[in-house]
Amino acid sequence: MKNSVLIRNSMLAMVLLLVSGVVGAQQESDRSFVIGNSHIIPIESRNTGRQHELVIILPSSYQSQPTKKYPVLYYLDAYWDTPLLASTYGNLIYDNEVPEFIMVGLSYPEGKDYGKERRLDYTFTPVDEGSGKSDQFLAFIKTEVAPLIEKQYRGLSTDRVLSGNSLGGLFTLTAAYKAPEFFSGFIAISPAVEWDNKALIKFDQSYAKDHQSLPGRVFISYGAKEYSVFREPIAQFQTTLAERKYQGLALQNYVMEDLDHTAVKGDGYVRGLKWVWKPKKPAGPSGLEKAYLEQPKK
């Protein structure tokens, strides 16, 4: 467990496809899937005063290119979304749509109440004692997590992307305003814009009075089948942000037809990762095209 992410509970028990280095573990009669090139790092934060875990997945070239530095994706809700993102990464690399990057999942120790933990860390306005601590969590990422990744794992300090879904999407968009100089891209899938009577929309209104720029590549999406009370504030925020025309903002708004709140993550991450790293899309053919081109001529 120290050197690999074991799929250890039902939330993570899904089939992993196209992930480099997936191997069987333990005895033949008791085998489990393991994500290759992965690590779990426990960390007690001085900013939050609580215990966290980092789920780190390294690119397949990491060992063979010991001097290379990589862009970094910091993604929330790693206890749920690690298998999805590992698979999505493998698919996008095969299709040659994104550069190689390190994935760093923000998680909590096994046994924690993830709902309570994320509600505390991902919300920027307090509605009760169990919410409103996102400033401390953002400081944790900026001053503890990123320095560790950049010192020990060769992460690039000039190409950090932040992503999240639902409350994680709310945190991601909040960070776009509060740390635009720290992250270069933001992926917000079905962000909880309705939180605290649309506090994010009010925050944007206040920000716009004193700011003309909001640098970064931002992807915002939601599902057309999501509950209207949750869905409509996202659509409102998409429209508002597009109309601001902030300098330096490269915005892609997207609506997923016929999908509800959690099914959106698959399509959302594919499109979001392509958008934030579009300027760094590798040259050359996809894996499929390459396979055809390399076939011997008859």
Side-chain angles (χ1 to χ4, degrees), residues 178-221:
K178 296 190 174 186
E181 78 294 337
F182 191 81
F183 298 101
S184 58
F186 305 86
I187 301 170
I189 302 171
S190 295
V193 179
E194 53 80 37
W195 171 265
D196 192 14
N197 297 313
K198 305 180 190 177
L200 182 64
I201 292 177
K202 298 171 186 175
F203 185 81
D204 172 75
Q205 291 170 346
S206 176
Y207 181 92
K209 292 178 181 179
D210 301 315
H211 299 81
Q212 294 183 333
S213 66
L214 187 66
R217 298 187 65 84
V218 178
F219 175 86
I220 306 173
S221 65

mmCIF file of all heavy atoms in Angstrom, residues 178-221:
data_model
loop_
_atom_site.group_PDB
_atom_site.id
_atom_site.type_symbol
_atom_site.label_atom_id
_atom_site.label_comp_id
_atom_site.label_asym_id
_atom_site.label_seq_id
_atom_site.Cartn_x
_atom_site.Cartn_y
_atom_site.Cartn_z
ATOM 1 N N LYS A 178 -9.133 33.479 -6.669
ATOM 2 C CA LYS A 178 -8.231 33.738 -5.549
ATOM 3 C C LYS A 178 -6.779 33.375 -5.823
ATOM 4 O O LYS A 178 -5.889 33.849 -5.121
ATOM 5 C CB LYS A 178 -8.733 32.991 -4.306
ATOM 6 C CG LYS A 178 -10.091 33.493 -3.815
ATOM 7 C CD LYS A 178 -10.455 32.911 -2.468
ATOM 8 C CE LYS A 178 -11.741 33.527 -1.931
ATOM 9 N NZ LYS A 178 -12.054 33.101 -0.553
ATOM 10 N N ALA A 179 -6.538 32.530 -6.821
ATOM 11 C CA ALA A 179 -5.157 32.114 -7.097
ATOM 12 C C ALA A 179 -4.893 31.994 -8.589
ATOM 13 O O ALA A 179 -4.366 30.987 -9.060
ATOM 14 C CB ALA A 179 -4.867 30.797 -6.394
ATOM 15 N N PRO A 180 -5.258 33.020 -9.388
ATOM 16 C CA PRO A 180 -5.050 32.902 -10.838
ATOM 17 C C PRO A 180 -3.581 32.868 -11.223
ATOM 18 O O PRO A 180 -3.224 32.350 -12.284
ATOM 19 C CB PRO A 180 -5.737 34.163 -11.383
ATOM 20 C CG PRO A 180 -5.674 35.141 -10.258
ATOM 21 C CD PRO A 180 -5.836 34.311 -9.005
ATOM 22 N N GLU A 181 -2.731 33.403 -10.354
ATOM 23 C CA GLU A 181 -1.305 33.392 -10.651
ATOM 24 C C GLU A 181 -0.656 32.050 -10.315
ATOM 25 O O GLU A 181 0.458 31.767 -10.768
ATOM 26 C CB GLU A 181 -0.605 34.510 -9.858
ATOM 27 C CG GLU A 181 -0.358 34.218 -8.385
ATOM 28 C CD GLU A 181 -1.616 34.074 -7.514
ATOM 29 O OE1 GLU A 181 -2.672 34.604 -7.912
ATOM 30 O OE2 GLU A 181 -1.530 33.448 -6.439
ATOM 31 N N PHE A 182 -1.354 31.231 -9.566
ATOM 32 C CA PHE A 182 -0.782 29.966 -9.109
ATOM 33 C C PHE A 182 -1.122 28.826 -10.064
ATOM 34 O O PHE A 182 -0.280 27.990 -10.373
ATOM 35 C CB PHE A 182 -1.286 29.642 -7.700
ATOM 36 C CG PHE A 182 -0.560 28.512 -7.042
ATOM 37 C CD1 PHE A 182 0.668 28.730 -6.431
ATOM 38 C CD2 PHE A 182 -1.088 27.235 -7.036
ATOM 39 C CE1 PHE A 182 1.360 27.684 -5.828
ATOM 40 C CE2 PHE A 182 -0.414 26.175 -6.430
ATOM 41 C CZ PHE A 182 0.819 26.401 -5.829
ATOM 42 N N PHE A 183 -2.365 28.789 -10.522
ATOM 43 C CA PHE A 183 -2.814 27.753 -11.458
ATOM 44 C C PHE A 183 -2.932 28.351 -12.861
ATOM 45 O O PHE A 183 -3.268 29.520 -13.028
ATOM 46 C CB PHE A 183 -4.170 27.189 -11.043
ATOM 47 C CG PHE A 183 -4.176 26.520 -9.699
ATOM 48 C CD1 PHE A 183 -4.679 27.178 -8.595
ATOM 49 C CD2 PHE A 183 -3.694 25.233 -9.537
ATOM 50 C CE1 PHE A 183 -4.695 26.584 -7.345
ATOM 51 C CE2 PHE A 183 -3.701 24.622 -8.298
ATOM 52 C CZ PHE A 183 -4.196 25.296 -7.191
ATOM 53 N N SER A 184 -2.691 27.516 -13.861
ATOM 54 C CA SER A 184 -2.845 27.968 -15.241
ATOM 55 C C SER A 184 -4.156 27.517 -15.855
ATOM 56 O O SER A 184 -4.578 28.054 -16.890
ATOM 57 C CB SER A 184 -1.680 27.455 -16.097
ATOM 58 O OG SER A 184 -1.618 26.042 -16.062
ATOM 59 N N GLY A 185 -4.810 26.520 -15.246
ATOM 60 C CA GLY A 185 -6.058 26.008 -15.790
ATOM 61 C C GLY A 185 -6.987 25.512 -14.707
ATOM 62 O O GLY A 185 -6.548 25.137 -13.601
ATOM 63 N N PHE A 186 -8.292 25.511 -15.030
ATOM 64 C CA PHE A 186 -9.323 25.136 -14.058
ATOM 65 C C PHE A 186 -10.415 24.332 -14.765
ATOM 66 O O PHE A 186 -10.939 24.767 -15.791
ATOM 67 C CB PHE A 186 -9.944 26.381 -13.419
ATOM 68 C CG PHE A 186 -8.942 27.310 -12.784
ATOM 69 C CD1 PHE A 186 -8.296 28.281 -13.545
ATOM 70 C CD2 PHE A 186 -8.628 27.203 -11.435
ATOM 71 C CE1 PHE A 186 -7.360 29.136 -12.972
ATOM 72 C CE2 PHE A 186 -7.695 28.051 -10.859
ATOM 73 C CZ PHE A 186 -7.066 29.023 -11.627
ATOM 74 N N ILE A 187 -10.750 23.177 -14.205
ATOM 75 C CA ILE A 187 -11.813 22.334 -14.751
ATOM 76 C C ILE A 187 -12.895 22.202 -13.684
ATOM 77 O O ILE A 187 -12.682 21.574 -12.638
ATOM 78 C CB ILE A 187 -11.281 20.941 -15.133
ATOM 79 C CG1 ILE A 187 -10.162 21.058 -16.172
ATOM 80 C CG2 ILE A 187 -12.404 20.054 -15.659
ATOM 81 C CD1 ILE A 187 -9.427 19.750 -16.429
ATOM 82 N N ALA A 188 -14.053 22.795 -13.934
ATOM 83 C CA ALA A 188 -15.166 22.773 -12.976
ATOM 84 C C ALA A 188 -16.328 22.023 -13.606
ATOM 85 O O ALA A 188 -17.007 22.538 -14.501
ATOM 86 C CB ALA A 188 -15.572 24.186 -12.596
ATOM 87 N N ILE A 189 -16.558 20.802 -13.146
ATOM 88 C CA ILE A 189 -17.622 19.961 -13.678
ATOM 89 C C ILE A 189 -18.814 20.014 -12.724
ATOM 90 O O ILE A 189 -18.686 19.692 -11.536
ATOM 91 C CB ILE A 189 -17.127 18.512 -13.851
ATOM 92 C CG1 ILE A 189 -15.911 18.486 -14.785
ATOM 93 C CG2 ILE A 189 -18.237 17.619 -14.387
ATOM 94 C CD1 ILE A 189 -15.211 17.146 -14.849
ATOM 95 N N SER A 190 -19.965 20.445 -13.233
ATOM 96 C CA SER A 190 -21.174 20.605 -12.419
ATOM 97 C C SER A 190 -20.868 21.307 -11.092
ATOM 98 O O SER A 190 -21.169 20.787 -10.011
ATOM 99 C CB SER A 190 -21.838 19.251 -12.161
ATOM 100 O OG SER A 190 -22.313 18.696 -13.358
ATOM 101 N N PRO A 191 -20.258 22.488 -11.140
ATOM 102 C CA PRO A 191 -19.906 23.186 -9.889
ATOM 103 C C PRO A 191 -21.151 23.596 -9.115
ATOM 104 O O PRO A 191 -22.166 23.977 -9.705
ATOM 105 C CB PRO A 191 -19.140 24.419 -10.392
ATOM 106 C CG PRO A 191 -19.675 24.652 -11.768
ATOM 107 C CD PRO A 191 -19.937 23.286 -12.337
ATOM 108 N N ALA A 192 -21.064 23.530 -7.793
ATOM 109 C CA ALA A 192 -22.210 23.834 -6.923
ATOM 110 C C ALA A 192 -22.369 25.347 -6.771
ATOM 111 O O ALA A 192 -22.223 25.912 -5.686
ATOM 112 C CB ALA A 192 -22.032 23.162 -5.568
ATOM 113 N N VAL A 193 -22.720 26.014 -7.877
ATOM 114 C CA VAL A 193 -22.870 27.467 -7.874
ATOM 115 C C VAL A 193 -24.013 27.896 -6.963
ATOM 116 O O VAL A 193 -24.032 29.013 -6.435
ATOM 117 C CB VAL A 193 -23.084 27.987 -9.311
ATOM 118 C CG1 VAL A 193 -23.278 29.499 -9.333
ATOM 119 C CG2 VAL A 193 -21.893 27.598 -10.199
ATOM 120 N N GLU A 194 -24.976 27.007 -6.747
ATOM 121 C CA GLU A 194 -26.122 27.353 -5.899
ATOM 122 C C GLU A 194 -25.756 27.428 -4.413
ATOM 123 O O GLU A 194 -26.573 27.877 -3.602
ATOM 124 C CB GLU A 194 -27.262 26.350 -6.109
ATOM 125 C CG GLU A 194 -26.878 24.877 -5.939
ATOM 126 C CD GLU A 194 -26.812 24.420 -4.493
ATOM 127 O OE1 GLU A 194 -27.648 24.870 -3.685
ATOM 128 O OE2 GLU A 194 -25.907 23.637 -4.177
ATOM 129 N N TRP A 195 -24.546 27.047 -4.034
ATOM 130 C CA TRP A 195 -24.134 27.068 -2.628
ATOM 131 C C TRP A 195 -24.365 28.442 -1.997
ATOM 132 O O TRP A 195 -23.995 29.470 -2.567
ATOM 133 C CB TRP A 195 -22.658 26.673 -2.512
ATOM 134 C CG TRP A 195 -22.094 26.880 -1.133
ATOM 135 C CD1 TRP A 195 -21.406 27.963 -0.673
ATOM 136 C CD2 TRP A 195 -22.215 25.979 -0.023
ATOM 137 N NE1 TRP A 195 -21.075 27.797 0.653
ATOM 138 C CE2 TRP A 195 -21.564 26.587 1.088
ATOM 139 C CE3 TRP A 195 -22.802 24.733 0.148
ATOM 140 C CZ2 TRP A 195 -21.490 25.976 2.329
ATOM 141 C CZ3 TRP A 195 -22.725 24.119 1.387
ATOM 142 C CH2 TRP A 195 -22.081 24.737 2.464
ATOM 143 N N ASP A 196 -24.956 28.458 -0.829
ATOM 144 C CA ASP A 196 -25.143 29.674 -0.024
ATOM 145 C C ASP A 196 -25.773 30.805 -0.852
ATOM 146 O O ASP A 196 -25.233 31.903 -0.933
ATOM 147 C CB ASP A 196 -23.798 30.116 0.561
ATOM 148 C CG ASP A 196 -23.965 31.183 1.642
ATOM 149 O OD1 ASP A 196 -25.095 31.386 2.130
ATOM 150 O OD2 ASP A 196 -22.942 31.804 1.994
ATOM 151 N N ASN A 197 -26.925 30.496 -1.436
ATOM 152 C CA ASN A 197 -27.664 31.508 -2.203
ATOM 153 C C ASN A 197 -26.825 32.140 -3.314
ATOM 154 O O ASN A 197 -26.776 33.363 -3.479
ATOM 155 C CB ASN A 197 -28.213 32.596 -1.278
ATOM 156 C CG ASN A 197 -29.225 32.057 -0.278
ATOM 157 O OD1 ASN A 197 -30.135 31.315 -0.659
ATOM 158 N ND2 ASN A 197 -29.055 32.403 0.979
ATOM 159 N N LYS A 198 -26.141 31.273 -4.057
ATOM 160 C CA LYS A 198 -25.324 31.701 -5.199
ATOM 161 C C LYS A 198 -24.206 32.657 -4.774
ATOM 162 O O LYS A 198 -23.949 33.688 -5.417
ATOM 163 C CB LYS A 198 -26.194 32.354 -6.278
ATOM 164 C CG LYS A 198 -27.357 31.498 -6.759
ATOM 165 C CD LYS A 198 -28.164 32.238 -7.819
ATOM 166 C CE LYS A 198 -29.446 31.536 -8.161
ATOM 167 N NZ LYS A 198 -30.254 32.315 -9.145
ATOM 168 N N ALA A 199 -23.509 32.292 -3.726
ATOM 169 C CA ALA A 199 -22.431 33.146 -3.216
ATOM 170 C C ALA A 199 -21.343 33.373 -4.266
ATOM 171 O O ALA A 199 -20.705 34.434 -4.287
ATOM 172 C CB ALA A 199 -21.827 32.527 -1.957
ATOM 173 N N LEU A 200 -21.118 32.407 -5.153
ATOM 174 C CA LEU A 200 -20.079 32.560 -6.159
ATOM 175 C C LEU A 200 -20.442 33.671 -7.154
ATOM 176 O O LEU A 200 -19.568 34.448 -7.577
ATOM 177 C CB LEU A 200 -19.860 31.247 -6.910
ATOM 178 C CG LEU A 200 -18.756 31.268 -7.968
ATOM 179 C CD1 LEU A 200 -17.389 31.515 -7.334
ATOM 180 C CD2 LEU A 200 -18.742 29.965 -8.763
ATOM 181 N N ILE A 201 -21.698 33.753 -7.528
ATOM 182 C CA ILE A 201 -22.132 34.802 -8.454
ATOM 183 C C ILE A 201 -21.962 36.174 -7.801
ATOM 184 O O ILE A 201 -21.508 37.134 -8.447
ATOM 185 C CB ILE A 201 -23.588 34.566 -8.883
ATOM 186 C CG1 ILE A 201 -23.668 33.309 -9.756
ATOM 187 C CG2 ILE A 201 -24.143 35.776 -9.631
ATOM 188 C CD1 ILE A 201 -25.065 32.927 -10.189
ATOM 189 N N LYS A 202 -22.267 36.266 -6.519
ATOM 190 C CA LYS A 202 -22.062 37.528 -5.797
ATOM 191 C C LYS A 202 -20.574 37.868 -5.698
ATOM 192 O O LYS A 202 -20.184 39.031 -5.810
ATOM 193 C CB LYS A 202 -22.688 37.428 -4.401
ATOM 194 C CG LYS A 202 -24.187 37.205 -4.411
ATOM 195 C CD LYS A 202 -24.719 36.902 -3.019
ATOM 196 C CE LYS A 202 -26.188 36.530 -3.062
ATOM 197 N NZ LYS A 202 -26.704 36.112 -1.728
ATOM 198 N N PHE A 203 -19.760 36.833 -5.519
ATOM 199 C CA PHE A 203 -18.317 37.045 -5.448
ATOM 200 C C PHE A 203 -17.791 37.584 -6.779
ATOM 201 O O PHE A 203 -16.958 38.501 -6.815
ATOM 202 C CB PHE A 203 -17.618 35.737 -5.089
ATOM 203 C CG PHE A 203 -16.140 35.863 -4.862
ATOM 204 C CD1 PHE A 203 -15.638 36.323 -3.661
ATOM 205 C CD2 PHE A 203 -15.240 35.522 -5.855
ATOM 206 C CE1 PHE A 203 -14.273 36.447 -3.448
ATOM 207 C CE2 PHE A 203 -13.877 35.638 -5.668
ATOM 208 C CZ PHE A 203 -13.392 36.108 -4.449
ATOM 209 N N ASP A 204 -18.277 37.027 -7.886
ATOM 210 C CA ASP A 204 -17.866 37.507 -9.195
ATOM 211 C C ASP A 204 -18.290 38.959 -9.402
ATOM 212 O O ASP A 204 -17.521 39.759 -9.968
ATOM 213 C CB ASP A 204 -18.475 36.638 -10.296
ATOM 214 C CG ASP A 204 -18.246 37.214 -11.677
ATOM 215 O OD1 ASP A 204 -17.107 37.109 -12.179
ATOM 216 O OD2 ASP A 204 -19.199 37.804 -12.243
ATOM 217 N N GLN A 205 -19.480 39.315 -8.955
ATOM 218 C CA GLN A 205 -19.948 40.698 -9.094
ATOM 219 C C GLN A 205 -19.030 41.664 -8.355
ATOM 220 O O GLN A 205 -18.691 42.734 -8.870
ATOM 221 C CB GLN A 205 -21.380 40.815 -8.562
ATOM 222 C CG GLN A 205 -22.413 40.087 -9.418
ATOM 223 C CD GLN A 205 -23.781 40.014 -8.762
ATOM 224 O OE1 GLN A 205 -23.927 40.275 -7.561
ATOM 225 N NE2 GLN A 205 -24.794 39.662 -9.540
ATOM 226 N N SER A 206 -18.613 41.274 -7.174
ATOM 227 C CA SER A 206 -17.693 42.104 -6.394
ATOM 228 C C SER A 206 -16.321 42.174 -7.057
ATOM 229 O O SER A 206 -15.702 43.241 -7.127
ATOM 230 C CB SER A 206 -17.575 41.547 -4.972
ATOM 231 O OG SER A 206 -16.630 42.264 -4.218
ATOM 232 N N TYR A 207 -15.851 41.048 -7.562
ATOM 233 C CA TYR A 207 -14.542 40.986 -8.211
ATOM 234 C C TYR A 207 -14.506 41.882 -9.448
ATOM 235 O O TYR A 207 -13.520 42.587 -9.698
ATOM 236 C CB TYR A 207 -14.247 39.533 -8.588
ATOM 237 C CG TYR A 207 -12.911 39.299 -9.252
ATOM 238 C CD1 TYR A 207 -11.797 38.969 -8.495
ATOM 239 C CD2 TYR A 207 -12.772 39.388 -10.640
ATOM 240 C CE1 TYR A 207 -10.565 38.736 -9.101
ATOM 241 C CE2 TYR A 207 -11.546 39.161 -11.249
ATOM 242 C CZ TYR A 207 -10.449 38.831 -10.475
ATOM 243 O OH TYR A 207 -9.237 38.612 -11.076
ATOM 244 N N ALA A 208 -15.581 41.845 -10.219
ATOM 245 C CA ALA A 208 -15.615 42.585 -11.482
ATOM 246 C C ALA A 208 -15.542 44.093 -11.288
ATOM 247 O O ALA A 208 -15.135 44.821 -12.202
ATOM 248 C CB ALA A 208 -16.878 42.219 -12.255
ATOM 249 N N LYS A 209 -15.911 44.581 -10.128
ATOM 250 C CA LYS A 209 -15.870 46.021 -9.869
ATOM 251 C C LYS A 209 -14.438 46.557 -9.843
ATOM 252 O O LYS A 209 -14.204 47.720 -10.182
ATOM 253 C CB LYS A 209 -16.561 46.328 -8.534
ATOM 254 C CG LYS A 209 -18.067 46.084 -8.546
ATOM 255 C CD LYS A 209 -18.664 46.356 -7.174
ATOM 256 C CE LYS A 209 -20.164 46.083 -7.163
ATOM 257 N NZ LYS A 209 -20.760 46.312 -5.811
ATOM 258 N N ASP A 210 -13.504 45.707 -9.434
ATOM 259 C CA ASP A 210 -12.118 46.163 -9.264
ATOM 260 C C ASP A 210 -11.118 45.460 -10.173
ATOM 261 O O ASP A 210 -9.922 45.761 -10.108
ATOM 262 C CB ASP A 210 -11.685 45.960 -7.805
ATOM 263 C CG ASP A 210 -12.562 46.706 -6.818
ATOM 264 O OD1 ASP A 210 -12.856 47.881 -7.080
ATOM 265 O OD2 ASP A 210 -12.950 46.098 -5.805
ATOM 266 N N HIS A 211 -11.586 44.516 -10.988
ATOM 267 C CA HIS A 211 -10.656 43.739 -11.811
ATOM 268 C C HIS A 211 -11.153 43.664 -13.257
ATOM 269 O O HIS A 211 -12.345 43.460 -13.498
ATOM 270 C CB HIS A 211 -10.498 42.318 -11.275
ATOM 271 C CG HIS A 211 -9.954 42.242 -9.885
ATOM 272 N ND1 HIS A 211 -10.735 42.423 -8.765
ATOM 273 C CD2 HIS A 211 -8.690 42.005 -9.432
ATOM 274 C CE1 HIS A 211 -9.985 42.298 -7.680
ATOM 275 N NE2 HIS A 211 -8.746 42.043 -8.055
ATOM 276 N N GLN A 212 -10.229 43.787 -14.173
ATOM 277 C CA GLN A 212 -10.540 43.618 -15.591
ATOM 278 C C GLN A 212 -9.978 42.324 -16.155
ATOM 279 O O GLN A 212 -10.339 41.922 -17.258
ATOM 280 C CB GLN A 212 -9.992 44.798 -16.392
ATOM 281 C CG GLN A 212 -10.666 46.130 -16.068
ATOM 282 C CD GLN A 212 -10.133 47.258 -16.931
ATOM 283 O OE1 GLN A 212 -8.986 47.217 -17.399
ATOM 284 N NE2 GLN A 212 -10.961 48.269 -17.147
ATOM 285 N N SER A 213 -9.097 41.672 -15.404
ATOM 286 C CA SER A 213 -8.468 40.445 -15.892
ATOM 287 C C SER A 213 -8.756 39.269 -14.965
ATOM 288 O O SER A 213 -8.962 39.442 -13.759
ATOM 289 C CB SER A 213 -6.954 40.634 -16.028
ATOM 290 O OG SER A 213 -6.356 40.817 -14.760
ATOM 291 N N LEU A 214 -8.770 38.089 -15.553
ATOM 292 C CA LEU A 214 -8.898 36.834 -14.808
ATOM 293 C C LEU A 214 -8.169 35.773 -15.632
ATOM 294 O O LEU A 214 -8.774 35.010 -16.371
ATOM 295 C CB LEU A 214 -10.373 36.453 -14.623
ATOM 296 C CG LEU A 214 -10.652 35.239 -13.724
ATOM 297 C CD1 LEU A 214 -10.245 35.522 -12.283
ATOM 298 C CD2 LEU A 214 -12.117 34.842 -13.793
ATOM 299 N N PRO A 215 -6.853 35.731 -15.521
ATOM 300 C CA PRO A 215 -6.067 34.862 -16.404
ATOM 301 C C PRO A 215 -6.262 33.385 -16.105
ATOM 302 O O PRO A 215 -6.424 32.973 -14.951
ATOM 303 C CB PRO A 215 -4.630 35.305 -16.123
ATOM 304 C CG PRO A 215 -4.670 35.877 -14.741
ATOM 305 C CD PRO A 215 -6.017 36.520 -14.612
ATOM 306 N N GLY A 216 -6.247 32.594 -17.161
ATOM 307 C CA GLY A 216 -6.336 31.145 -17.001
ATOM 308 C C GLY A 216 -7.247 30.531 -18.041
ATOM 309 O O GLY A 216 -8.123 31.195 -18.603
ATOM 310 N N ARG A 217 -7.036 29.253 -18.293
ATOM 311 C CA ARG A 217 -7.923 28.485 -19.172
ATOM 312 C C ARG A 217 -8.942 27.787 -18.286
ATOM 313 O O ARG A 217 -8.585 26.983 -17.417
ATOM 314 C CB ARG A 217 -7.128 27.481 -20.010
ATOM 315 C CG ARG A 217 -6.116 28.146 -20.947
ATOM 316 C CD ARG A 217 -5.464 27.142 -21.875
ATOM 317 N NE ARG A 217 -6.422 26.538 -22.797
ATOM 318 C CZ ARG A 217 -6.808 27.101 -23.952
ATOM 319 N NH1 ARG A 217 -6.334 28.297 -24.301
ATOM 320 N NH2 ARG A 217 -7.656 26.479 -24.747
ATOM 321 N N VAL A 218 -10.220 28.084 -18.499
ATOM 322 C CA VAL A 218 -11.294 27.624 -17.612
ATOM 323 C C VAL A 218 -12.319 26.823 -18.405
ATOM 324 O O VAL A 218 -12.796 27.274 -19.455
ATOM 325 C CB VAL A 218 -11.982 28.817 -16.919
ATOM 326 C CG1 VAL A 218 -13.137 28.331 -16.033
ATOM 327 C CG2 VAL A 218 -10.976 29.607 -16.082
ATOM 328 N N PHE A 219 -12.662 25.653 -17.886
ATOM 329 C CA PHE A 219 -13.697 24.798 -18.475
ATOM 330 C C PHE A 219 -14.806 24.619 -17.444
ATOM 331 O O PHE A 219 -14.553 24.227 -16.307
ATOM 332 C CB PHE A 219 -13.107 23.435 -18.850
ATOM 333 C CG PHE A 219 -14.124 22.446 -19.360
ATOM 334 C CD1 PHE A 219 -14.468 22.420 -20.701
ATOM 335 C CD2 PHE A 219 -14.727 21.547 -18.494
ATOM 336 C CE1 PHE A 219 -15.413 21.505 -21.172
ATOM 337 C CE2 PHE A 219 -15.667 20.632 -18.949
ATOM 338 C CZ PHE A 219 -16.004 20.604 -20.298
ATOM 339 N N ILE A 220 -16.047 24.913 -17.848
ATOM 340 C CA ILE A 220 -17.201 24.772 -16.947
ATOM 341 C C ILE A 220 -18.279 23.969 -17.669
ATOM 342 O O ILE A 220 -18.674 24.318 -18.790
ATOM 343 C CB ILE A 220 -17.775 26.138 -16.530
ATOM 344 C CG1 ILE A 220 -16.692 27.028 -15.930
ATOM 345 C CG2 ILE A 220 -18.917 25.953 -15.529
ATOM 346 C CD1 ILE A 220 -17.156 28.454 -15.662
ATOM 347 N N SER A 221 -18.774 22.920 -17.033
ATOM 348 C CA SER A 221 -19.795 22.091 -17.676
ATOM 349 C C SER A 221 -20.855 21.663 -16.672
ATOM 350 O O SER A 221 -20.663 21.742 -15.454
ATOM 351 C CB SER A 221 -19.147 20.853 -18.300
ATOM 352 O OG SER A 221 -18.602 20.019 -17.288
#
